[in-house]
Amino acid sequence: MGYRITKNVIELGFPNWNAEEKINISTSLIWPYIGSLAHYFHDWNTGIKIIGISFYFACIFLIYKMKFKGSDNIYLLLFGFITYIPAYLWFLGGIETSLAIFWGLLVVYIFNRYGPEHILGWLVLSLGILVRPEFILASIYPLFHLIIFHRKQSLKITAIAFFICSIAFWLSYNKLLFNNWLPTPAYIKSFAGHIIFQNGQSKIFIIGNGVVHLISSICISIFLLISYISALFYTFQTIKNKFSSARLASSEGQISHQESLVMIFLGFLSINIYHAYSGYMHMGFTFRYLLPANIAILAIGALLLRENSSVAKKTMLLLSVQAGVFITSLIFVFGGEFSLTRAKHRDGFSLSNYASFMQPWVKIGNTLHGLAKPGDRLWAKDGTNLAGSALSGMYSLDGLLTPLSYSVFPEIRNCQGFDCAKYFDYIFLQNTDIKNWPELVESPKNYSIIIENPTIIVLKNLERK
């Protein structure tokens, strides 16, 4: 999908899914424009990985620069970042996760170096919505804290203005370019939950799965676990000190350095609480949506512990424990699942079998690309093989990320159910759909099976010339 929308940025100027209509399937506003640079390489897949690796080294640079604020734990933080396998897997993933992780670390770096008094931190924090919509949650508690506890009115007004302008720009961008206030993935990956993966489960089960998933993403790294514990400890300590009558008078109107780190910790924590609430089920080991906040909290925890010499004394023990976790993780990521959660259809993927799963989808897309004629239409029903539909080069809809109701063609926009197939030249079906849609495969005069594998059937509509 990234290949298609970034290619359209080059050819059309905007990340449309189809050239003919305004459909935005990119959750990130910024990433399609950054990802489009990969098309200037000989191979897009290589180019997008180079961009991701560039963000990886930019993150390492930010972590290294944090030592100039006096952190004795900087090398522990670097080791924790490098050995957190889910992070660097997604730096090669070709989507906005690499940018999102960099943004999170940049926020921590700026607040750590300049403190809450500098407007740059509030600007970068407010721009999170342009990276991913839910990152606006990271601004809510810090803004609340600033308004309640800081005496400088001009700083409060500036921070609130950044917050409002970022939201207004994001909403206006979506409405003006795509005639919709939100990108289409926001409607299926919101507080309503990841509905396409939940199969009618109860809300208690969904939230429970999301919580266990979050715990699993933390426990895979001893450093991340320590950072969470550290940040929570200093959060309770800060709250206790802030509301202590003895200290309130002396600290009134000021936000200390420790307090500012606790403040942004609570902002990033709210992002992961949101994903836990929505029942996050996106590939157990890789924890994609949880990574930006986790890495930011990894840095915050290390910075809060910088005055604690007892941590430095235990460095070798921590390194040894994390090295063991790292080696174990490598074994599992290539051969199986390493997660506390099990979510049907999504969590069973290891790195190697996910790649194997995708190969037939990509092959189908390349095959159809060779068959496509100008004006051909493809229906990837219910999101079946979006990778293949992206590579096909055809006008395509799926009814999920690209709803049929958004189509510029009135016959598609107004059709219902099985009747829609007659308006498309090719149809992707899951094998399990055959029993629900037998008329398509039992009408040889109208439809022909041109590709069939264990998961997908591709039909050709013989009535469309």
Side-chain angles (χ1 to χ4, degrees), residues 387-408:
S389 61
L391 294 171
S392 70
M394 301 180 191
Y395 172 90
S396 69
L397 297 171
D398 62 77
L400 190 65
L401 292 176
T402 53
L404 273 63
S405 59
Y406 287 19
S407 177
V408 294

Side-chain angles (χ1 to χ4, degrees), residues 182-393:
L182 304 176
T184 55
Y187 293 103
I188 63 168
K189 297 178 180 179
S190 64
F191 278 113
H194 293 62
I195 56 177
I196 56 175
F197 307 131
Q198 293 173 354
N199 300 321
Q201 299 286 353
S202 70
K203 193 61 182 177
I204 293 176
F205 173 87
I206 290 167
I207 295 174
N209 186 87
V211 169
V212 175
H213 213 72
L214 173 58
I215 294 171
S216 185
S217 74
I218 297 169
C219 292
I220 200 173
S221 167
I222 186 68
F223 289 110
L224 182 58
L225 179 60
I226 290 172
S227 289
Y228 264 91
I229 294 172
S230 164
L232 288 170
F233 170 79
Y234 282 103
T235 296
F236 290 122
Q237 184 185 75
T238 300
I239 292 172
K240 179 182 177 181
N241 291 342
K242 197 67 182 177
F243 292 97
S244 169
S245 57
R247 295 174 182 263
L248 189 60
S250 62
S251 63
E252 187 175 3
Q254 298 177 359
I255 297 177
S256 67
H257 181 264
Q258 175 179 308
E259 191 179 340
S260 70
L261 290 175
V262 167
M263 182 178 68
I264 60 170
F265 160 69
L266 292 173
F268 283 109
L269 182 63
S270 67
I271 295 174
N272 279 355
I273 290 174
Y274 156 77
H275 285 302
Y277 176 85
S278 65
Y280 171 83
M281 295 185 178
H282 194 78
M283 296 198 305
F285 180 79
T286 56
F287 310 113
R288 181 166 95 82
Y289 297 154
L290 306 175
L291 292 182
N294 274 354
I295 297 300
I297 291 170
L298 178 68
I300 292 168
L303 291 168
L304 286 169
L305 280 170
R306 67 185 174 196
E307 303 298 332
N308 192 333
S309 60
S310 64
V311 174
K313 294 176 182 178
K314 298 180 176 66
T315 297
M316 293 310 298
L317 175 61
L318 291 173
L319 290 174
S320 300
V321 172
Q322 182 61 27
V325 174
F326 177 69
I327 293 169
T328 306
S329 301
L330 282 176
I331 295 171
F332 275 93
V333 73
F334 287 103
E337 184 66 11
F338 190 60
S339 173
L340 299 177
T341 49
R342 296 298 301 169
K344 190 177 180 182
H345 302 311
R346 301 299 295 180
D347 271 358
F349 292 132
S350 66
L351 183 64
S352 57
N353 64 26
Y354 183 61
S356 300
F357 190 84
M358 287 292 294
Q359 286 173 1
W361 289 17
V362 172
K363 183 177 180 181
I364 288 171
N366 290 330
T367 299
L368 290 185
H369 185 80
L371 298 175
K373 304 188 303 293
D376 277 357
R377 303 173 184 174
L378 169 64
W379 186 9
K381 182 181 177 293
D382 295 335
T384 302
N385 192 8
L386 284 174
S389 61
L391 294 171
S392 70

Side-chain angles (χ1 to χ4, degrees), residues 103-149:
W103 168 81
L105 281 175
L106 183 62
V107 169
V108 177
Y109 170 79
I110 292 172
F111 273 89
N112 177 58
R113 179 160 186 173
Y114 300 107
E117 304 289 334
H118 202 291
I119 64 171
L120 182 59
W122 298 102
L123 174 61
V124 174
L125 187 61
S126 69
L127 292 177
I129 193 172
L130 308 184
V131 180
R132 280 192 65 89
E134 72 270 22
F135 288 175
I136 200 65
L137 295 173
S139 299
I140 294 175
Y141 180 76
L143 271 176
F144 170 79
H145 196 95
L146 180 73
I147 292 168
I148 297 298
F149 294 110

